[in-house]
């Protein structure tokens, strides 16, 4: 009976992987040179962008999300709940906000997942979701983030087990040519 009153401890490997994703998403390079808006929404989108390849990789033999993938998603939801409460979202509007968070996650997750192997489709999804304007798909920022996103997905797919060890690719080699963007 006590199991109903005790909180299940999160898997330390899942927690560590999520924290690594958040740390990578917060790297200043994305906001300073990749055109990601340094706003609450921009940071939210970068967290999703950095956990989608991990959750996508954590699948069972039937293609469904594995318990570890579900645990990573649950950790994300818990973190978003804490962040919304920290910024003062009231109890009356909280369910509506969490529903929007879930809808945003699934929409972005599916857009990125469906674009695997097609850099133009990935750049379009990134432009729409991360940069805030689908018309930016052909820009150096969207193209650079698509290359980086493909590298993240490839690194996650090649990892023996992302929970044991996963290193995000260095974004520096994907840095957009800002001179081309400034000239346009």
């Amino acid at each position: 009976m006590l199991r109903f009153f005790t909180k299940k401890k999160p898997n330390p490997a899942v927690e560590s992987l999520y924290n690594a994703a958040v740390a990578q998403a917060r790297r200043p390079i994305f906001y300073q040179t990749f055109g990601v808006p340094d706003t609450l929404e921009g940071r939210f989108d970068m967290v999703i962008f950095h956990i989608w390849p991990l959750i996508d990789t954590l699948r069972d033999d039937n293609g469904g999300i594995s318990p570890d993938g579900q645990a990573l998603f649950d950790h994300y939801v818990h973190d978003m709940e804490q962040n919304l409460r920290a910024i003062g979202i009231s109890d009356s509007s909280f369910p509506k906000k969490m529903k929007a968070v879930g809808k945003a996650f699934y929409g972005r997750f599916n857009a990125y997942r469906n674009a695997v192997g097609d850099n133009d489709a990935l750049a379009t999804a990134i432009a729409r979701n991360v940069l805030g304007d689908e018309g930016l798909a052909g820009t150096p920022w969207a193209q650079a983030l698509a290359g980086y996103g493909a590298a993240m997905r490839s690194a996650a797919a090649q990892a023996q087990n992302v929970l044991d060890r996963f290193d995000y690719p260095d974004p520096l080699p994907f840095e957009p040519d800002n001179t081309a963007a400034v000239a346009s």
Side-chain angles (χ1 to χ4, degrees):
M1 181 156 138
L2 286 178
R3 75 174 187 258
F4 295 112
F5 299 104
T6 59
K7 190 173 182 179
K8 184 179 173 186
K9 286 193 169 223
N11 177 341
V14 168
E15 192 171 11
S16 177
L17 186 61
Y18 181 77
N19 291 339
V22 170
Q24 185 75 3
R26 289 182 177 166
R27 289 191 57 189
I29 190 172
F30 295 114
Y31 307 95
Q32 294 169 352
T33 61
F34 281 80
V36 177
D38 193 2
T39 61
L40 203 58
E41 292 82 11
R43 288 177 179 266
F44 167 78
D45 282 319
M46 286 305 285
V47 170
I48 294 173
F49 185 63
H50 281 88
I51 64 171
W52 80 267
L54 305 174
I55 292 175
D56 194 36
T57 300
L58 292 168
R59 295 188 166 279
D60 62 23
D61 295 336
N62 298 321
I65 298 297
S66 71
D68 289 331
Q70 184 63 51
L72 183 58
F73 174 76
D74 292 346
H75 199 77
Y76 156 79
V77 169
H78 177 72
D79 186 44
M80 292 301 117
E81 286 176 353
Q82 299 306 311
N83 286 314
L84 287 174
R85 292 207 185 273
I87 62 172
I89 300 298
S90 67
D91 286 342
S92 61
S93 64
F94 191 77
K96 186 177 177 181
K97 292 287 186 187
M98 283 308 297
K99 184 176 182 179
V101 165
K103 185 177 178 181
F105 175 85
Y106 284 114
R108 286 155 174 78
F109 177 84
N110 287 325
Y112 301 146
R113 184 167 193 258
N114 292 335
V116 169
D118 183 347
N119 255 25
D120 289 337
L122 187 54
T124 299
I126 289 166
R128 179 178 54 251
N129 296 310
V130 176
L131 302 177
D133 181 353
E134 193 169 317
L136 298 174
T139 64
W141 302 289
Q143 294 295 317
L145 283 168
Y148 173 73
M152 276 194 307
R153 179 61 178 87
S154 178
Q158 291 174 14
Q160 286 290 92
N161 180 351
V162 294
L163 288 175
D164 289 339
R165 177 161 174 84
F166 178 73
D167 295 317
Y168 280 95
D170 182 1
L172 203 53
F174 301 95
E175 192 172 15
D177 177 11
N178 287 322
T179 57
V182 173
S184 5

